[in-house]
């Protein structure tokens, strides 16, 4: 299992630190959770370094949202331990909640209030004095490029503006750890890239970001480390580049001339393909990307030169990792 490393490894350790002053913003050991007969988490271990961006990936039902709910004290695990910002999520729930921010898939805002009023309200709920809450609201509106819209009702905001305001609302208390559960769901590409800039800004300011996402490109762009879940277990963990190299540093995509050629090539490769797209008649195989290796592969796979209509070489992506390592 790839979640927890030995104590000699710089990126992890076999046991949770006994004090809250270590390098880890989030630690979990042996988390288990079931709903009836369905086992959602099956002994999950993970560690997230302070000030980093950590992405949790996996197919639907892999356990991503349940993991976030356990770490943010919304759900209690059946077994295992977890600590966030140095505090136990069971024994120190109130301290954990004061140290974190959680943004779900849908904005939790009062649409009848203005953006500024939402932020001031959140500041007051966080215990800030009235003037300090007003100053903090102004700071966050500027930070998230919402100053001009601050006096407008949230009901007039675009989807991207609402997501930015929602994250801003979670930062009124200056949390140590920000949990973003699929924060760009439903956003258009331009709004999604704006959100990426927001996440990058958070990380550069020293905030730890724990991100779940369905967009693998998002994790590739943002995350320092990525963990891939499948059926409640961590099946791979590392930097995006490390994970991509597990599948193939480079990929040679072969477009076949017809379906008969596609089926014949897939049969010959017998599971060695790293990417299959039958609707496009496309098969991907691992390569080092050099011209000699590409020529050798083409000659070996299609010696008669009648089955491959065209080819392309590109770097492996997290999509390749996802499809190769998950049960789907």
């Amino acid at each position: 299992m790839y979640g927890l490393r030995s104590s000699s490894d710089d990126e992890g350790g076999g046991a949770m630190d006994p004090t809250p002053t270590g390098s880890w913003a989030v630690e979990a050991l042996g988390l288990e959770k079931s709903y009836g007969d369905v086992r959602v988490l099956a002994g999950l271990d993970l560690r997230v370094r302070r000030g980093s961006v950590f992405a949790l990936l996996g197919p639907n039902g892999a356990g991503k949202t349940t993991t976030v709910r356990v770490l943010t004290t919304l759900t209690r695990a059946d077994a295992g331990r977890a600590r966030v910002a140095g505090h136990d999520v069971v024994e120190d729930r109130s301290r954990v909640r004061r140290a974190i921010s959680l943004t779900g898939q849908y904005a939790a805002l009062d649409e009848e209030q203005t953006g500024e009023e939402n932020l001031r309200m959140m500041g007051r709920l966080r215990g800030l004095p009235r003037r300090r809450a007003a100053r903090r609201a102004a700071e966050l509106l500027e930070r998230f490029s919402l100053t001009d819209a601050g006096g407008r009702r949230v009901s007039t905001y675009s989807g991207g503006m609402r997501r930015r305001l929602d994250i801003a609302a979670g930062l009124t208390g200056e949390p140590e750890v920000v949990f973003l559960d699929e924060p760009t769901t439903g956003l258009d590409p331009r709004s999604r890239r704006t959100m990426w800039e927001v996440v990058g800004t958070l990380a550069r300011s020293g905030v730890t970001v724990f991100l779940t996402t369905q967009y693998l490109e998002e994790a590739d762009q943002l995350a320092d480390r990525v963990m891939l879940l499948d059926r409640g277990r961590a099946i791979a963990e590392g930097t995006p580049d490390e994970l991509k190299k597990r599948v193939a540093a480079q990929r040679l995509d072969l477009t076949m001339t017809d379906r008969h050629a596609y089926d014949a090539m897939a049969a010959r490769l017998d599971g060695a393909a790293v990417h299959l797209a039958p609707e496009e008649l496309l098969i991907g195989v691992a390569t080092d990307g050099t011209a000699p290796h590409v020529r050798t592969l083409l000659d070996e796979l299609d010696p008669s030169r009648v089955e491959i209509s065209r080819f392309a070489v590109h770097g492996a992506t997290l999509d390749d990792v996802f499809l190769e390592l998950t049960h789907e």
Side-chain angles (χ1 to χ4, degrees):
M1 183 166 180
Y2 289 87
L4 215 59
R5 290 166 164 72
S6 67
S7 57
S8 63
D9 190 313
D10 186 55
E11 289 296 338
M16 292 170 63
D17 288 339
T19 65
T21 57
S23 303
W24 311 110
V26 179
E27 302 174 82
L29 182 65
L31 291 183
E32 298 182 14
K33 183 66 180 178
S34 297
Y35 294 101
D37 295 332
V38 180
R39 197 178 190 192
V40 182
L41 296 180
L44 178 64
D45 304 335
L46 62 83
R47 275 181 163 176
V48 180
R49 192 173 292 281
R50 294 181 186 272
S52 67
V53 179
F54 181 90
L56 196 61
L57 302 180
N60 291 332
K64 302 186 299 296
T65 295
T66 299
T67 300
V68 170
R69 290 183 62 82
V70 169
L71 296 175
T72 57
T73 77
L74 297 178
T75 297
R76 181 174 291 196
D78 299 332
R81 297 176 56 201
R83 196 157 59 191
V84 176
H87 309 296
D88 189 280
V89 298
V90 175
E91 299 174 0
D92 299 315
R93 289 179 64 199
S94 59
R95 290 184 177 180
V96 171
R97 291 184 175 186
R98 286 196 294 269
I100 68 172
S101 167
L102 170 61
T103 299
Q105 297 178 28
Y106 305 101
L109 301 166
D110 186 340
E111 296 199 350
E112 295 305 309
Q113 293 194 89
T114 67
E116 182 182 6
E117 288 169 343
N118 268 275
L119 295 181
R120 291 175 68 171
M121 176 183 68
M122 290 302 300
R124 295 289 286 154
L125 290 173
R126 283 280 189 173
L128 298 180
R130 191 178 302 276
R131 291 185 177 179
R132 178 70 184 106
R135 288 198 303 270
R136 184 62 176 159
E139 292 169 1
L140 290 169
L141 288 171
E142 181 177 2
R143 181 175 178 180
F144 286 86
S145 302
L146 291 169
T147 301
D148 292 342
R152 287 166 40 197
R153 287 187 179 184
V154 173
S155 59
T156 68
Y157 283 21
S158 67
M161 292 169 67
R162 293 184 191 204
R163 300 303 289 151
R164 293 191 338 252
L165 183 65
D166 198 25
I167 293 178
L171 297 177
T172 53
E174 301 185 13
E176 297 179 47
V177 184
V178 174
F179 289 87
L180 302 177
D181 190 13
E182 300 188 21
T184 60
T185 296
L187 296 186
D188 60 73
R190 185 183 299 276
S191 297
R192 186 174 299 134
R193 289 192 175 274
T194 300
M195 285 300 304
W196 294 358
E197 294 173 4
V198 168
V199 173
T201 300
L202 289 175
R204 288 191 294 273
S205 70
V207 175
T208 303
V209 179
F210 190 108
L211 172 75
T212 72
T213 180
Q214 292 286 354
Y215 301 107
L216 284 82
E217 182 189 9
E218 190 162 89
D220 205 351
Q221 290 283 337
L222 297 174
D224 299 302
R225 293 188 72 78
V226 174
M227 176 178 283
L228 186 60
L229 288 190
D230 194 24
R231 301 178 183 180
R233 296 182 182 276
I235 59 172
E237 189 208 350
T239 67
D241 285 344
E242 287 170 348
L243 292 183
K244 285 182 282 189
K245 287 177 182 177
R246 288 189 58 182
V247 176
Q250 300 284 326
R251 195 178 84 192
L252 175 63
D253 280 347
L254 309 172
T255 301
M256 312 309 295
T257 53
D258 55 35
R259 186 54 188 253
H260 176 75
Y262 174 90
D263 292 339
M265 182 67 72
R268 285 201 298 275
L269 287 169
D270 190 25
V274 297
H275 182 67
L276 294 170
E279 67 283 356
E280 302 173 39
L281 300 179
L282 189 146
I283 298 178
V285 295
T287 177
D288 62 12
T290 63
H293 191 233
V294 170
R295 291 193 192 98
T296 299
L297 283 173
L298 292 173
D299 288 340
E300 289 178 353
L301 295 174
D302 186 17
S304 60
R305 301 186 180 184
V306 296
E307 293 184 318
I308 298 174
S309 63
R310 60 183 182 274
F311 67 89
V313 178
H314 64 80
T317 68
L318 285 184
D319 293 74
D320 300 323
V321 177
F322 187 94
L323 293 170
E324 176 72 12
L325 298 182
T326 67
H327 71 279
E328 295 185 351

